[in-house]
Amino acid sequence: SGRAPHGQAVLPEKSTVEPWQDLEQPTDAEEEPESGEGCINWPRISDTWTTFLAMTSAWCVIFGTRWIIALSGLVGQDETVLAVALAFTLSVCCFCSIWILDKLHDSSPHDDGVQEVVRILVEQVGIIIGFGWERCFEGAVFAISAGTSAPEAWKAVLCVTCVVVVAPAWRIYLVPMEVMDGWRFGFLPHHVTKHANGLKSCDVSRQHYVEVLNQLMQVHVEAEEERL
């Protein structure tokens, strides 16, 4: 292959495989050794117990908030309106909680215990928001289908419609950000390399990318120094 003109970067050829699809496939050198018979995997037990408690507390928060809203009399006796009020209330409270947890996370960057607790709590808050809106959509589907001549058929149609609308957005935007840790920096590396050649030297976006690259290189150097 020939050399690229001076001042232009050469990007690798585009692959048909998504960058995040091979992340969970360890090589032979990275395979974990098999545990002996009778060995108890305490980290896995701890993670399972933590997940169980998070799910339990999330359901308690959801039903507790639902009872408070229902007893207040602000939304009447309509189950659909109650579900919408529950979803909005949980969303506002959870977003405020995430903001507080984020401040706590930033105030203790070197405390591994605090970092782990904040991570678990944020995951629990995400479960609460997801369950709250799930009940809202469930109530909306039931209310719409109840006024039709074939409620069960319309329930199926509405459920399929929700999946068709939500699943592609989840697959395209949320999965890469989670698997490739794009949420840490606000962008995905392969998106940057894909559009890098189209940036002009005077483009503000290019200057921004250069600043981000310099910051990431500094983080890498500091991590290597700590490791050594």
Side-chain angles (χ1 to χ4, degrees):
S1 60
R3 295 183 177 180
H6 179 69
Q8 295 185 4
V10 178
L11 297 178
E13 295 182 0
K14 184 177 179 181
S15 174
T16 57
V17 180
E18 297 293 347
W20 58 84
Q21 291 180 349
D22 295 332
L23 293 180
E24 302 298 332
Q25 300 178 1
T27 60
D28 294 340
E30 296 176 347
E31 291 182 355
E32 297 181 357
E34 296 183 359
S35 302
E37 295 184 359
C39 181
I40 300 177
N41 193 333
W42 290 111
R44 178 174 298 178
I45 294 176
S46 177
D47 291 341
T48 303
W49 184 246
T50 301
T51 303
F52 168 76
L53 293 178
M55 297 284 286
T56 304
S57 60
W59 279 113
C60 291
V61 170
I62 291 173
F63 281 104
T65 306
R66 185 174 184 273
W67 291 337
I68 293 174
I69 296 175
L71 292 175
S72 66
L74 297 176
V75 296
Q77 302 297 323
D78 193 324
E79 290 290 334
T80 305
V81 177
L82 176 60
V84 174
L86 174 64
F88 274 103
T89 302
L90 291 175
S91 297
V92 172
C93 295
C94 289
F95 289 153
C96 294
S97 300
I98 291 176
W99 183 82
I100 296 174
L101 291 173
D102 181 66
K103 294 299 182 181
L104 179 61
H105 181 276
D106 294 339
S107 64
S108 305
H110 303 294
D111 192 334
D112 294 338
V114 173
Q115 302 284 318
E116 181 66 16
V117 170
V118 170
R119 182 190 66 80
I120 295 174
L121 290 177
V122 169
E123 290 180 355
Q124 179 181 351
V125 169
I127 293 173
I128 294 174
I129 296 176
F131 282 164
W133 282 103
E134 186 275 333
R135 294 187 65 84
C136 179
F137 277 99
E138 180 184 1
V141 169
F142 178 80
I144 294 174
S145 61
T148 62
S149 57
E152 299 300 329
W154 274 102
K155 282 183 181 180
V157 171
L158 292 173
C159 289
V160 172
T161 302
C162 291
V163 172
V164 170
V165 173
V166 174
W170 172 79
R171 174 64 176 81
I172 295 172
Y173 298 105
L174 296 183
V175 172
M177 291 292 286
E178 171 65 21
V179 176
M180 299 185 66
D181 287 342
W183 56 272
R184 294 182 181 273
F185 310 109
F187 64 90
L188 297 176
H190 75 279
H191 284 178
V192 177
T193 56
K194 179 180 179 181
H195 301 288
N197 284 337
L199 297 176
K200 300 179 180 179
S201 58
C202 59
D203 196 342
V204 177
S205 299
R206 180 170 181 172
Q207 299 175 4
H208 177 68
Y209 283 137
V210 172
E211 293 176 359
V212 172
L213 180 60
N214 291 332
Q215 294 177 2
L216 293 177
M217 289 298 298
Q218 182 64 29
V219 171
H220 173 71
V221 171
E222 293 177 356
E224 288 295 322
E225 291 178 351
E226 293 179 359
R227 185 177 64 86
L228 298 176

